[in-house]
Amino acid sequence: MRPLGYRLAYIGAILIVLLNSWLAYRSLGVFSGSQSWQTHTLQTLTACEQLLAEIRTAESAARGYVLQADPILEKQYSDAVSSIWKSYDELRTQTQDNPSQQQRLPLVRERIQARLTAIEVGVQLRKAQPDAALPPSQLGLMMADQYKYGGFTVAYAISQVEGEERRLLDMRSAQVTLARRSAYTTFGVATLLDLLFLLLAFYLLGKEATARQQIATQSDEIRSLNADLEQRVQERTQELEASNQELEAFSYSVSHDLRAPLRTIDGFSLALYEDFADKLDDEGRDYINRVRNGVQRMGQLIDALLQLSRVTRSDLVLETTDLAELVRSVVGDVRASDPERDVRFEIPSTPVLAQADPRLLRVAFENLLGNAFKFTSKTPGAVIEFGSLLKDGQAVYFIRDNGAGFDMYYVDRLFTAFQRLHGDRDFKGSGIGLATTLRIIRRHKGRIWAEGKENEGATFYFTLGS
């Protein structure tokens, strides 16, 4: 699983666990609320029973007092009357949340008040006649729990309140049972889901740990392979450097040693021509001229190879160099090679400074400007321009001409030694100059490339340093 998948799985698991916790908390809240209402109903029923018991106590104490005229019983009667109204107030407080019960309570109070009034009449008559018992008619009126509305007693009025509370008790008990079952179910489901996600989390963690272990193992293998590859590259580089040094030394030695026989051939061919020219016919003299041209051509190639070898072998000494001034100096030499030509050189009048080896860079400019001068030899109104520009924050220098140009299809062959895009009849050359320039630019850790079009000129760009 990808890192994004792990994150989404963990976030989903956390959300579901939080949802389960909220559902369990909500179920417990409903269960607790239902229990509170059930307890409240039971307390209301207890208040009803307490009120009825206080009324019975008052009746019993009053009855005993009427029969025995005992002061203790009179005090019990008075205390019971006080408790009756306290219990009534408690019942009224308990039923404040129920409007229908509140409507019943005034009738209960009226029944209680009537009943206590009847009892109080008997008590007061007994006090007025302490030595004589009450007649049966008065005693019956006192003892009967009836009022002028017939058989609507206090007990019946309170039973109306109790009946409503018992109905509420049955309903709230059912709610408590349902809430308890719902809480148990929610808690069980939430616990089961939490366990499942916990197992899933452990599974994912184990899988991730295994994947990390595999990645660590693969990383160790890659590091080992990289170290081995780096070692092999170093060894191969050392071998190549040694081979290049041997090849350069061999090229330098061969080029240098070839000079002596070439000079001999050139000298004797010149002596042969000077001493025996009058004895040779035109064909013989042509052969001697061809020999000498070939020798001179071979000498130029040897000079180019030696220059290419020196570029590689010499030390690189970087210093702040004015490229514009260096180009002007090279242009003077180029003009001297053919002073009759009319070529316009465009060079910045302000210094173009760069960190470069002026000795090596002069060789590069000699090749680039020499090529531009050569390939504009058949172009009327020839223009050769040197300049610089900024590309991606880096200075890029260029030599541009409006000469013969080249086909971009062969651009990859430009900087290869002995690869020429124009025939020797059209433009003379060794085919080594641009290869030498490429090595000089590379030694400066730069890059060189070219753009051109046949008969419309060419531009050579290069950078110095990374």
Side-chain angles (χ1 to χ4, degrees):
M1 186 179 290
R2 296 179 178 178
L4 179 59
Y6 279 114
R7 293 192 186 97
L8 293 177
Y10 290 146
I11 292 173
I14 291 172
L15 291 177
I16 291 177
V17 169
L18 291 175
L19 178 62
N20 290 337
S21 299
W22 179 78
L23 289 175
Y25 176 78
R26 182 173 175 274
S27 298
L28 289 175
V30 172
F31 176 62
S32 177
S34 299
Q35 276 193 324
S36 297
W37 279 111
Q38 185 186 39
T39 302
H40 174 72
T41 305
L42 289 173
Q43 289 174 345
T44 304
L45 284 173
T46 301
C48 290
E49 293 174 355
Q50 180 69 25
L51 177 60
L52 189 58
E54 295 294 346
I55 292 173
R56 297 304 181 205
T57 301
E59 287 177 341
S60 178
R63 188 180 300 112
Y65 176 74
V66 169
L67 293 175
Q68 301 175 16
D70 188 344
I72 296 176
L73 294 173
E74 183 187 7
K75 186 173 185 309
Q76 291 180 351
Y77 163 70
S78 300
D79 293 341
V81 170
S82 299
S83 299
I84 286 171
W85 295 118
K86 291 181 181 177
S87 297
Y88 175 80
D89 293 338
E90 176 67 21
L91 178 61
R92 187 177 58 184
T93 302
Q94 289 289 338
T95 58
Q96 282 182 343
D97 59 293
N98 192 330
S100 63
Q101 294 288 53
Q102 290 287 307
Q103 291 177 358
R104 291 187 180 93
L105 286 178
L107 183 59
V108 172
R109 180 181 178 82
E110 182 184 350
R111 294 298 89 192
I112 293 173
Q113 185 62 54
R115 180 60 183 148
L116 292 178
T117 300
I119 295 174
E120 182 67 18
V121 169
V123 171
Q124 294 302 324
L125 288 174
R126 184 57 174 165
K127 283 184 178 179
Q129 301 174 11
D131 297 330
L134 293 177
S137 59
Q138 292 180 346
L139 188 58
L141 180 62
M142 172 189 169
M143 294 304 170
D145 186 10
Q146 293 183 356
Y147 195 53
K148 59 184 178 181
Y149 298 111
F152 197 84
T153 63
V154 172
Y156 181 78
I158 294 176
S159 69
Q160 297 297 310
V161 177
E162 284 184 327
E164 174 64 15
E165 292 300 324
R166 290 191 184 282
R167 186 186 67 78
L168 291 175
L169 179 62
D170 292 340
M171 182 185 70
R172 288 167 180 172
S173 296
Q175 290 177 346
V176 168
T177 302
L178 182 61
R180 183 188 298 110
R181 187 179 299 117
S182 177
Y184 285 156
T185 303
T186 303
F187 180 76
V189 172
T191 302
L192 180 60
L193 288 176
D194 290 345
L195 286 175
L196 288 176
F197 279 108
L198 190 61
L199 291 175
L200 178 61
F202 278 122
Y203 170 73
L204 293 176
L205 288 174
K207 191 174 179 181
E208 186 175 358
T210 302
R212 288 186 176 181
Q213 182 63 35
Q214 291 177 349
I215 292 173
T217 303
Q218 292 174 352
S219 298
D220 292 340
E221 293 176 355
I222 291 173
R223 278 194 291 271
S224 177
L225 290 174
N226 286 336
D228 181 61
L229 180 61
E230 186 176 354
Q231 178 65 27
R232 292 172 62 183
V233 168
Q234 289 179 353
E235 293 175 356
R236 185 60 177 166
T237 301
Q238 292 174 354
E239 291 175 359
L240 287 174
E241 288 177 352
S243 178
N244 284 335
Q245 289 176 356
E246 291 177 359
L247 182 60
E248 290 167 359
F250 175 76
S251 299
Y252 179 80
S253 178
V254 169
S255 301
H256 189 270
D257 292 345
L258 285 177
R259 280 183 168 279
L262 278 179
R263 282 196 296 269
T264 301
I265 295 172
D266 187 44
F268 278 103
S269 62
L270 178 61
L272 179 63
Y273 183 83
E274 290 176 349
D275 296 342
F276 300 97
D278 54 343
K279 298 178 180 179
L280 295 174
D281 56 10
D282 292 340
E283 187 176 4
R285 288 192 291 272
D286 180 59
Y287 287 163
I288 292 175
N289 286 330
R290 290 190 181 188
V291 170
R292 293 205 66 222
N293 288 336
V295 169
Q296 291 173 0
R297 172 70 176 160
M298 179 61 76
Q300 292 173 355
L301 287 174
I302 290 173
D303 289 341
L305 287 172
L306 287 173
Q307 187 182 58
L308 181 63
S309 176
R310 283 195 293 269
V311 165
T312 306
R313 294 161 62 90
S314 62
D315 295 333
L316 184 70
V317 181
L318 296 179
E319 59 185 63
T320 302
T321 304
D322 183 359
L323 302 186
E325 181 60 30
L326 191 58
V327 168
R328 277 191 285 271
S329 173
V330 175
V331 165
D333 296 340
V334 171
R335 282 188 183 280
S337 65
D338 190 356
E340 301 298 327
R341 284 194 56 194
D342 181 17
V343 179
R344 178 161 58 90
F345 286 89
E346 295 182 355
I347 305 170
S349 57
T350 56
V352 179
L353 302 179
Q355 288 296 316
D357 185 322
R359 182 177 53 82
L360 289 180
L361 211 58
R362 180 182 181 84
V363 175
F365 279 129
E366 286 174 352
N367 286 315
L368 293 174
L369 292 170
N371 278 345
F373 193 76
K374 177 171 60 180
F375 291 113
T376 56
S377 60
K378 299 179 181 179
T379 304
V383 178
I384 300 174
E385 178 187 4
F386 165 73
S388 64
L389 52 88
L390 281 177
K391 185 176 183 181
D392 299 330
Q394 186 180 23
V396 177
Y397 310 98
F398 64 88
I399 300 290
R400 179 180 294 130
D401 67 72
N402 59 347
F406 61 89
D407 188 346
M408 285 295 289
Y409 180 78
Y410 303 105
V411 68
D412 293 337
R413 297 167 53 182
L414 277 177
F415 300 98
T416 304
F418 303 116
Q419 293 288 333
R420 303 190 61 206
L421 303 187
H422 299 277
D424 198 54
R425 290 184 177 179
D426 297 327
F427 301 101
K428 300 288 185 182
S430 61
I432 300 178
L434 289 179
T436 303
T437 304
L438 173 65
R439 290 198 177 189
I440 292 172
I441 299 302
R442 283 182 176 174
R443 292 210 61 189
H444 284 79
K445 301 185 184 303
R447 189 167 66 91
I448 184 169
W449 68 99
E451 295 176 358
K453 191 172 182 181
E454 287 184 306
N455 301 319
E456 295 186 12
T459 303
F460 287 81
Y461 300 93
F462 66 92
T463 61
L464 297 174
S466 57

